[in-house]
Amino acid sequence: DAQRLKERGRGFRESFLSRLQQVVRGTADVATEQFGETLGDEHVRGGLFMGNSDRPLRAPQALYDRDVPNAKMRLFGGAQYHRAM
C-alpha cells in the first residue's frame, strides 16, 4: 500500500534527522570504544598527513609538542568538533 510506504519513509526520515542532530551536538548515545577516534586516528583517517602517493607524511613535531586536551580519549561526533576548537 502506497500510503503505508510513505508513512514508513517519513518515520525513517525523522529518525535519521534526529540522530544526525544528536551526532552534531555530541549527545548521541554510541559506543565510543567502537566508533570513537583519538586525535591520532582523526589525523590518519582525515587524510591530514597523507601524501600524493597515499603514504603517510611525517607529522610536524609541533603537533606532538602541544598538549591537546583529550587527545587520547576516543570521542565521536560533536565532541570531536569541540576538541578541534
Side-chain angles (χ1 to χ4, degrees), residues 15-31:
S15 175
F16 176 80
L17 291 176
S18 173
R19 291 290 184 179
L20 181 61
Q21 188 176 36
Q22 290 174 353
V23 167
V24 171
R25 287 183 177 167
T27 59
D29 186 23
V30 297

